[in-house]
Every structure is written in C-alpha cells, then in structure tokens.
Amino acid sequence: MADRPPLRLGVLISGTGTNLQAIIDAIESGYLAAEIRIVISNRPDAYGLERAKRHRIPSLVIRNRDFSTREAFDTSLVAALRGQGVELVACAGFDRLLSNVMLDAFAQRVMNIHPALLPSFPGLHAQKAAFDHGVRFAGCTVFLVAPGVDDGPIVVQAVVPVLPDDDEERLTQRILAQEHRIYPYALRLYQEGRLEVQGRKVRVHGASEIDTALALVNPPLP
Ligand code: GRF
C-alpha cells in the first residue's frame, strides 16, 4: 500500500540464502516496499553473506557457538537488530531455535519459512519426511514465530504435488520455488498492514475469502 512506509527488515540466515535472494529481488523489482537494514548469519561461511555484499546490504556474523546460552545469543541478535531500527525479523534458512528473548523483543514480529505444510512435518529434513511418508501433496509455510519448534500463526501456505517419479531432491526444488514466491508475498501483506493475528490464526484483510484461499495456494508472482 503506497501510503505506508517501507518495511524495515532484518534477515537471519545460516546457509545458501535463496530465500534472502527472493526477498532482495522482490524489493529491487518494486514488488515489496521494504528495506533490508541488516543480514545476520550465525555461520561465517553462509553463502547468503555473499548475496548481501553483492547487493550492498550491511551484514554481520554473530556465531551462536560464541555464547553459552540461547538467551545470550539472542540478546546479541536483538541488540544488532534494534541498532539498525529493524521492525520485522525474517528468518530465512536460519537454523537456530529462537528463545523468548527474541520473541519478547519482537513480539509477533518474527517471521519464518518452513518447507512443509505445518503443522505436518515440523523440524529438520521436512521435505524428506514428507516424501518418505508418501504424501500426495507437500508445500511450504510462512508463519509468525511463537515459542516451540516451527509453531505459530500461519500467514501463507503453498501446495505442490508429489509426482510418481519424484525423488527427495526434485520435491525439495519444487517446494523451494514456492518458498521464493510466498515469502515476499507474506512480507508484502505485512507491509500493507493486512495481517491481523487472531489467537493462533491470521486474518488477511482486503481480499475476499476465495481470493485469499486461492492467493494463499498460488500467490501472485513477484
Ligand atoms: C529452505 O528450504 C528453507 O525453507 C529452510 O532452509 C532451506 C534453505 O533456505 N529453512 P535458504 O536457501 O538458505 O533460504
């Protein structure tokens, strides 16, 4: 929505950063009215740091192994994010569980993406777990982080079919392509002020129910 200021984002990464890249591309294309104020990685070798540098986005490495507790690590993350005026934290391939230190500092303002249709297949290797279980449909979920593993109010989901000649990698890539669509879409809904958390559900304002349902299954391309 044009009358709202750009969203001040902080992005937490641990690895390849393809979701970070999708967010960068959505901003640079004008689809998402946001500014990434800082990218923080807990791993110094995360390729996502290269992506940030290439797009002249400030980045920082804060290694969880340098802290004796999750709370101390999160305190350092919160200080760095607040120092850059971040208003929404986007976890993008971030491999640490956040403590209440972060979730209290950014209450209902931490988003994450998971490569499964939550609440099914939380935790690590979700794509493999779904594939091994023999599901006919898999997908991905953007949610507002609440205490617990991959738990919290669901913002957007996308569904992909599992095909007869699939293997884990083909399915993972099919899901990843949808991740790169729904994360910018979820951030855009947030920036436009169209998300309202109601208990453990999220109401998306400004769209008819069917648009919301269809959009949430096949959101518009960035
Ligand atoms: C993605 O499947 C994401 O859902 C999961 O980690 C994978 C890699 O993400 N959390 P990225 O390429 O580092 O954004």
Side-chain angles (χ1 to χ4, degrees):
M1 209 167 286
D3 60 352
R4 292 173 70 93
L7 185 56
R8 298 190 309 278
L9 272 179
V11 183
L12 305 183
I13 63 169
S14 301
T16 49
T18 65
N19 277 288
L20 166 66
Q21 188 65 57
I23 296 168
I24 291 170
D25 295 347
I27 293 171
E28 293 185 352
S29 71
Y31 172 83
L32 174 60
E35 176 195 4
I36 301 175
R37 302 296 288 263
I38 190 164
V39 170
I40 304 176
S41 176
N42 61 315
R43 298 175 184 281
D45 60 348
Y47 184 67
L49 291 167
E50 290 307 310
R51 298 178 192 271
K53 287 191 183 78
R54 202 180 306 146
H55 292 270
R56 286 182 291 285
I57 297 169
S59 61
L60 193 56
V61 174
I62 301 180
R63 303 189 325 170
N64 53 284
R65 63 195 304 188
D66 292 342
F67 298 85
S68 53
T69 65
R70 287 197 296 129
E71 289 72 16
F73 171 56
D74 285 8
T75 299
S76 178
L77 288 179
V78 167
L81 291 162
R82 280 181 168 158
Q84 295 295 324
V86 166
E87 60 183 300
L88 181 72
V89 182
C91 299
F94 187 61
D95 66 9
R96 311 313 301 176
L97 201 56
L98 294 171
S99 73
N100 285 332
V101 166
M102 173 67 77
L103 301 184
D104 292 345
F106 289 92
Q108 294 190 348
R109 293 188 295 130
V110 181
M111 257 190 206
N112 195 5
I113 188 159
H114 183 69
L117 294 171
L118 291 176
S120 300
F121 309 113
L124 295 177
H125 313 301
Q127 303 93 329
K128 177 174 178 9
F131 180 74
D132 290 348
H133 193 86
V135 298
R136 292 286 179 261
F137 289 95
C140 46
T141 304
V142 176
F143 59 102
L144 291 167
V145 179
V149 177
D150 294 326
D151 191 10
I154 290 171
V155 178
V156 184
Q157 293 187 302
V159 177
V160 298
V162 180
L163 303 176
D165 58 349
D166 264 346
D167 57 21
E168 182 192 336
E169 182 54 27
R170 267 168 54 106
L171 178 58
T172 295
Q173 290 308 313
R174 191 173 307 125
I175 295 171
L176 196 58
Q178 290 300 320
E179 291 183 45
H180 300 160
R181 293 167 54 139
I182 67 170
Y183 217 161
Y185 182 63
L187 291 168
R188 177 165 169 163
L189 290 173
Y190 186 98
Q191 188 273 331
E192 293 176 349
R194 293 172 53 195
L195 300 180
E196 180 189 354
V197 180
Q198 296 174 339
R200 72 143 303 121
K201 291 186 181 180
V202 176
R203 173 118 183 263
V204 179
H205 290 282
S208 72
E209 288 315 308
I210 187 64
D211 295 343
T212 302
L214 287 179
L216 298 195
V217 170
N218 293 298
L221 275 169

